Structures are given as C-alpha cells and as structure tokens.
Amino acid sequence: MSVSQFGQLADGTPVERVAIAAGGLSARIMALGAAITDLRVGGRSVVLGFADLASYLAHSPYFGVIAGRHANRIAGGRFRLDGSDVQLECNEGGRNHLHGGARGFARRLWSLREAGPAHAVLALVSEDGDAGYPGRVEASVCYEIPGAGDRLRIVLEAVTDRPTLVNLATHSYFNLDGSPDIGGHLLQIEADAYLPVDGEAIPTGEVRPVAGTPYDFRRLRRIDAHGGDVAHDHNFCLSAVPTCEPRPVARVIGQESGLAMDVLTSEPGLQFYDGYKLDVPCPGLGGRSYGPRAGLCLEPQRWPDSPNHRHFAGAVLRPDELYRQVTEYRFSQIGHEDLTP
C-alpha cells in the first residue's frame, strides 16, 4: 500500500491516491470521486482512465467513480417521497437528473479513512439539501483485493437521518483486450428482462423480456452480434429487491487476451453501457485513444427512475436502515478453446 498526491484542485486542495495490491491484481484509487484510476490483472490494465488529474477534471465521462447520491437518471429530477414533492437539480440538458447532480458523489473529494496493503476505505458526507435531496447521508466505500488476489471486492454503505434516496454505483469502463473497441468482447448477463428507454434514456415504465431483442445476453455472445447500429445503455433486471450476498450476474471475456471477468453483486439491477458515446479528446492510460466503444460499463445499482415507478426496485433509504451493496469483479484466464460462444 502506498499513498501519494495525484494532483491539486483549482483551489490548491491536494487529491490523494492510494495503491493496493495482492497476488496478480493491483488497483489505484483517488480521493476525487473515490475513483479507480487504474486496475491491472497480471500487469495488464483493464480499465479506462488517465495518468493525470487535469485530464479527469476536464474530460472524464465518470471514469471509475462512485456515482451517487442516486446513480443513473431521474425524469425531470422530480419524485414524491412520503407524500411530499422533491425537486432535484436537473444537470442533464436542464431536463433530467443524472448521477446525483453536477456536484454528485463522482465530483466530490472523499476522505481516505483507512488503507492497508490490499484495502482502502474512503468516506463522504452529503448534507441535507445537497442537489435537492432531503436528509444528511454518510457514505463509505471499501475497496479490497482479498485472498489469492484474483478479485476486487467493493462494499458500499450509507446511512441517513431523514428518508431520502440512495443508489450508488461503481462506474469503471472495462476493456479486457486493450483493443480500440469492445465489440468483439463476449458478454453474458443473467437477466430475463430489461428496461426500455425513451429518447432521453429515461425508462418508459415497461419491464420488457429480453427474448427476441438485441438485449438478450442470457447466453454468452459477442457484444456486436447485432451490428454497430445497436446502442447499449439499459438497466437489466436481475431481481425485484437486493440480495444479502453477492451472486453471479454477468461475465465478460476478451477474445484476444482470453481474460474473463465475472461480476457478482447484491444489487437488483445492472446497467450495461457499451460506451458508444465516448469521444475523449486527450490520451488515456498508456497513450491510448478512447473513441466510441473503447470500454464497457457494468454498473450494479437500483433501477433508474425508480421513485417514479412503484414496480421498480427502489432506492428509498430511511434512518433506521443501512444501505449496503457488495460487488465483486473476479478475473481468470481461460483457454482459447473455450472462447467460442
């Protein structure tokens, strides 16, 4: 474990970064957004990121961050909670609320509370009224590389003093091959249904079966099997409520590297975004260019716009409750004979 200064904010505030490692896995996490800035498996970088803080401040499309207080979108930034209307900041085109607002958890400086050779704990306080949210929230994230060093375990927790919304999500962009795009990656998602969206990426309210659609990933297949015209940025419905312990929900395989990543989570939803909007104007890690589909996101979370749909897996947190999410990204090397979907 090592802690260093990654850079400074415009007002001179230092931004710390901690490095953890075990076995063949290593990670670097910075205090801004509690973001994973690099994740390496056997020396191979498997996430998108930048080598300097200035690039994150100017150009990051949520690379590696913890998104919150409510990840994903809320239509019009409006919802009702216990009979009262709540209006949040509309930071996406002035129409909808995205990832907790312009100063959401992804844009805030977290405090490094604890660090060891293979783990780091960061914490953040979101005050009552932050971006329009009711209640004071205390949140924390623990990054850990346990055991043999083949998995990154992320534990997110939060408590509140008033009823509010809490929906946190890890937002790393993965590329297991180091290829220009992830269309040739194989993907499997253990979901029978997904949420269709409108032209502003807001769920329509329908829960639609994946069968017979380009969003059917129940069997391992290439991401681009339906061609490059199909955009993926949808919530896949894993369950109606969170589970106590993480269970396998997705698998990604890089066909060039033979590296597999299994996703396990306790969350009821998984947002799959194939990065089709990416167009980063500066070099990324290793000098790479990040164009469309340079990386994919698999974000465990509650369902988007859930406070406006009673049948969605919701995100209301009350003072007598503990929000807790456990997500793991497990890595393994497989033989090329096992790569045929």
Side-chain angles (χ1 to χ4, degrees), residues 122 135 166 191 248 316:
L122 298 94
V166 173
V316 175

Side-chain angles (χ1 to χ4, degrees), residues 33 58 115 130 203 230 233 276 293:
D130 192 359
V230 177
D233 192 8
Y276 72 95
R293 294 183 170 88

